[in-house]
Structures are given as structure tokens and as C-alpha cells.
Amino acid sequence: MRRRTRRRRSRELVLLFLFIVFGLILHLCLPGPPPPQHAFAATPQHWRSEVERAHDAAAAVTRRQAPAVAREESITYGAPRPDAPAGPMELFTASGRFFPVVVIACDRTETLRNALTSLMAAGASAQDILVAQDGANSAVAAVVAEFGVAHKAKRPPLVPLDGAQHIARTYKFALTRAFEDVFPDAPAVIIVEDDLVVSKDFFDYFSAVAPALERDDSLFVASAWNDNGFAKHGDPGALRRTGWFPGLGWLLPRKLWETELHPQWPDGHWDHWMRSDEVARGRECVYPVVNRASHESEYGTFLDSWHDKRYFKTIVRQRSRFDWPSDAWRSVLRDVYEDRVRGLLAAAEHVASVDVAVKGSALATTTPLALWFDFEENDDAPPGAADAWAPPPFVCVSEPFDLWHESRRADHRGVHEVVGAAGRPVLLVKAPVAYDSLRPDGLTPLARSECPSVTWEDLGKEGY
């Protein structure tokens, strides 16, 4: 009896083993799930979900950060070195070369053609462009060949990923190839995506500002993009600093990539990661008042038609070549820049009313106007709260002055600079962050409770 029981158990174990082996063979032989559509070809519901995920990720980063005042005091950098010898980037451009370009491409042939046309018109050489293609679209390869671009790389296929992971890994692949294999002697590269069109002085701009990155440790990268670049009569030679990484056509120094970014590049939401305290470490980005790039695609992984029409199509790009002064970079060195901002505030007329500021901004005077406000963005609204998806309070001051509804975009230590209709300088100043000592005694900043209630529908966006 015991022998029969043992034989039966042995047969059962053999059958179980064979069943497991058969299952493994079947799993390996059957085709896996189809590769994901790139987000640019995804359904509207897909990109709407991706937009919400991006907002969630940004909110999570914000919640991990310390209060603004603590951030300002947490890291200090030595004084800029305006008279230091030229660094690798300055020497590179002084030799007559432009920084090479990495173009991130997927499956948009027409926008890629426009991007390459604008890069060539700005002076790029086909030898100094790497098109990093995400995928194997033959039409994209044909466009690259049409322009005689010397360098092309395809990212190897990966397991299905969400939009943020897909983009982050493509960037890491492209930048690794650029620095290690394609442009081994370049001290920096410029990164653009295939839906950007650049100005004729695009490369001149980066050559003009690169020396500041090498002489001021409180600077991080330089971008060709101004999130609030909507003014039709901006100063084409004016430069600004911001703690918000703009992306959208940006200069990445080799040293930053090799020593900081490459070793810890994230698996997703790389742009939010670039803006985190962990990476930026109190450093700021340089950008031009008048954009040196414009955006052509209406949809993307984290872009919908409302944002495109409101904040991208209305961007003003520099159309003619601007003759950048050889010392343009000095204006964004930390101490020079701070002296300028403090000088504007010291000379300003100070108000705490949006209506008064709007009327005052239309006056033809060179006396600056400073509107003070004191409220935070509502990223920390609890789940299910009535205003969890309401526009942030910053719309109270951003809407009348045609700025992004997100207060950190293009700001410098809580300050946004705009120009009134008659040319008057206007500063929107967050209190109390960096410049509260310059607020007149007795002036109470505008409070959130004094702002009208605004919904996304009021701003023209249905079903946010």
C-alpha cells in the first residue's frame, strides 16, 4: 500500500514538473504585448491621464521640498569669478565652433524637417547634429538622410513603458551616445526635441551666455526658452535667471552631465527631477527675455491643446539675428543680477492691489512698479478637497499680466519681471521670500482671500 502511495506521489510530482516546464516554454514562445504607442500618437484620454500624472509628480516634488526661505539659505556658493580665465566652453566657441546639437526624434517627420531646417539656417553643420531616433520609423530616417546629418542613433527596444519612463530613457540613451561616442571633444551639447524651431541667432545666444556658467557656480544650465515670453516688444538682448528649469532647447555642460546627472538619471519625469532641490541645489538657469525657440506640436506626452494654444502658440520668437555683445554674460552673474533687481525694487512704486497695478502698468514712466502678494500654490490640497483641481492662487496676478498660472515658471527668488504696455517695468513680488526687506513699512501684501474665485472653465479649459 505504501509503495503504491509513493509511486502515485512520484507520478504527481513528475506531472507537476512537466506542467511547469510546458508553461515556461509557452510563455517564452508566445509573442509579448505589442510595444506601446508613442505618446504623440496616443489617444486624447491617454495624454489627459499623462498630464494628470505629471501634475501629481510635480506636486510630490514640491511637497518634499523645504519652505522657500529655507531653500534660499540651505546652499551658498562662492562669489562669481568674472575675471577668471576662459573655460572649456568659452574656448570652444572662441575657436569659431558652435555647440553640437542632440535632436530627440520619434515619428513626426514634418516637425523634424522644420527643426532641422531652422538649425541649418542658424548655422549648424550636418557634422554637428545627432538625431536620436526613438523607434525605427523609416520616414524619419529619410528626413535625416535628406539633410545629410552625419550622426544618427536608434534607441534599442525596451519593455513597455509609460510616457515619462519612455522619454527619460530616450534622453539618457541620446546624451550618453552624444558625450561618449559622437562628440567626445565637445564641452557641452544643446538638446532640442523634434518639434522646436529655433531663431537665427540660436547658437550665438548659447555662445554668448556659456561663459557665465563657467564663472558662476550658482548657475546650472542655459535655456533658449522663456515660459513667459509672450511680449511682442521685449528686449532681444535681455537675459534673466530662474530657479525653474525651462528645458525646450537647452545647453548641457559635459561636466554637469558626467559628474552629476548621468550617474543618477531617473527612470521617469526627468524634467521634474531636474527642478528638484536634490539636483538643482539652489542653482539657477539662464534664459532670454525673447525666446530663441518656438514650439510647433499641439499634442505631446504632457501637452494638450489648451496648454498649447494658451502658452506655446503665443510665444514670441526672435526672428532676426541679434548681435550679442561679447560681455552679455556678465549681466546674469549673481551679484550683478541681484544688484539690478534690488535697484529696481528700491526705486519702485509699491502696491498691493491688482487693479492699481494694472492701471499703473499702463503709464508711460520709467519708474518701476512692484505688486506684492503673499500666497502659495495649492499643490498640497488634500485628495477630494473642493479646490484640489482649482487653478492655483497665482492666477490672481498672472492673468492680468499674461503669465503662466504656475508661479515658479520663469521666476527669480519669487520675482517675475514684466513690461507694461507703455514700457514701464513691473515686478510681481512674492512675500516673504528673498526681498521682503525692501517692502515698505505698512504695506500689507495682497492675500489670497482678496482674490476672486477662478475655475478652469473661467480660463477656457473644460474638464480639467
Side-chain angles (χ1 to χ4, degrees):
M1 183 69 178
R2 290 179 180 175
R3 289 179 182 174
R4 286 199 298 273
T5 301
R6 283 197 295 270
R7 284 198 296 272
R8 185 167 63 253
R9 287 179 179 171
S10 296
R11 286 197 298 271
E12 290 173 350
L13 289 172
V14 171
L15 288 172
L16 178 61
F17 174 76
L18 292 173
F19 178 78
I20 292 172
V21 171
F22 177 77
L24 287 172
I25 293 173
L26 186 65
H27 174 75
L28 292 172
C29 292
L30 287 177
Q37 279 189 312
H38 192 277
F40 293 112
T43 63
Q45 182 55 49
H46 172 82
W47 56 251
R48 189 175 297 117
S49 299
E50 290 287 359
V51 169
E52 292 175 0
R53 264 188 262 179
H55 279 279
D56 290 343
V61 170
T62 301
R63 284 192 289 272
R64 290 195 298 269
Q65 292 174 342
V69 174
R71 287 202 302 271
E72 292 292 343
E73 297 175 349
S74 60
I75 298 175
T76 57
Y77 294 96
R81 306 170 300 280
D83 299 322
M89 290 192 289
E90 185 176 0
L91 291 173
F92 186 85
T93 58
S95 70
R97 298 182 63 182
F98 287 147
F99 294 116
V101 184
V102 178
V103 181
I104 308 294
C106 180
D107 56 9
R108 298 177 291 187
T109 55
E110 285 309 307
T111 59
L112 175 60
R113 181 176 283 107
N114 293 339
L116 292 175
T117 297
S118 69
L119 287 169
M120 297 291 192
S125 162
Q127 298 294 321
D128 289 330
I129 298 176
L130 164 65
V131 176
Q133 183 181 357
D134 181 13
N137 188 305
S138 59
V140 169
V143 172
V144 175
E146 175 185 328
F147 284 84
V149 171
H151 307 290
K152 181 172 174 292
K154 293 181 182 179
R155 186 174 69 88
L158 297 172
V159 296
L161 303 168
D162 68 26
Q165 293 173 318
H166 205 81
I167 295 170
R169 294 189 185 184
T170 299
Y171 263 80
K172 183 175 183 179
F173 164 75
L175 294 175
T176 301
R177 286 292 304 274
F179 280 114
E180 293 183 3
D181 302 327
V182 182
F183 307 119
D185 66 332
V189 298
I190 300 170
I191 302 101
V192 302
E193 294 189 10
D194 61 1
D195 56 359
L196 286 185
V197 171
V198 307
S199 299
K200 292 181 179 178
D201 66 340
F202 180 75
F203 294 102
D204 299 326
Y205 159 71
F206 283 115
S207 297
V209 300
L213 303 185
E214 297 183 304
R215 289 173 167 82
D216 188 346
D217 295 334
S218 71
L219 288 173
F220 188 34
V221 300
S223 173
W225 185 266
N226 175 6
D227 278 307
N228 291 319
F230 312 116
K232 292 182 173 58
H233 304 291
D235 180 353
L239 301 173
R240 296 287 182 265
R241 294 173 59 121
T242 178
W244 176 273
F245 168 70
L248 294 174
W250 53 289
L251 179 69
L252 172 60
R254 174 182 290 273
K255 181 179 178 182
L256 178 65
W257 170 253
E258 292 180 345
T259 62
E260 297 185 36
L261 303 187
H262 183 260
Q264 55 176 339
W265 192 259
D267 289 331
H269 294 292
W270 70 273
D271 49 346
H272 297 311
W273 176 77
M274 287 282 289
R275 296 172 186 130
S276 69
D277 285 344
E278 168 195 3
V279 177
R281 294 178 16 227
R283 291 171 292 190
E284 292 190 301
C285 308
V286 178
Y287 69 92
V289 167
V290 181
N291 288 57
R292 262 53 185 195
S294 56
H295 190 268
E296 286 209 336
S297 180
E298 184 175 350
Y299 294 104
T301 306
F302 303 116
L303 176 66
D304 56 31
S305 60
W306 180 82
H307 282 86
D308 178 62
K309 291 175 183 176
R310 190 176 180 85
Y311 295 129
F312 291 96
K313 273 188 169 41
T314 51
I315 284 290
V316 176
R317 173 167 55 88
Q318 178 71 12
R319 297 292 174 174
S320 59
R321 188 178 295 276
F322 179 76
D323 186 14
W324 288 94
S326 60
D327 62 348
W329 54 271
R330 291 179 180 270
S331 68
V332 288
L333 295 182
R334 185 194 62 194
D335 298 344
V336 174
Y337 197 84
E338 287 301 314
D339 286 346
R340 186 187 66 82
V341 174
R342 289 183 175 276
L344 288 171
L345 288 172
E349 174 190 352
H350 299 268
V351 301
S353 162
V354 173
D355 290 340
V356 172
V358 169
K359 292 177 183 176
S361 67
L363 299 179
T365 175
T366 57
T367 300
L369 179 68
L371 169 61
W372 292 80
F373 64 97
D374 187 10
F375 37 77
E376 302 289 344
E377 291 201 273
N378 60 343
D379 287 329
D380 287 320
D387 64 346
W389 284 103
F394 187 60
V395 298
C396 181
V397 294
S398 67
E399 282 299 295
F401 292 99
D402 295 324
L403 304 181
W404 260 84
H405 60 270
E406 296 173 344
S407 66
R408 291 192 62 196
R409 286 184 183 268
D411 89 316
H412 166 71
R413 304 180 75 195
V415 174
H416 289 274
E417 293 186 51
V418 297
V419 178
R424 186 178 192 182
V426 179
L427 297 91
L428 311 180
V429 190
K430 170 74 175 68
V433 180
Y435 303 103
D436 207 47
S437 62
L438 295 171
R439 176 166 55 90
D441 293 339
L443 180 73
T444 302
L446 178 71
R448 181 178 183 179
S449 59
E450 300 173 75
C451 294
S453 177
V454 177
T455 68
W456 287 115
E457 287 76 12
D458 296 329
L459 302 179
K461 184 171 178 62
E462 302 293 336
Y464 190 83

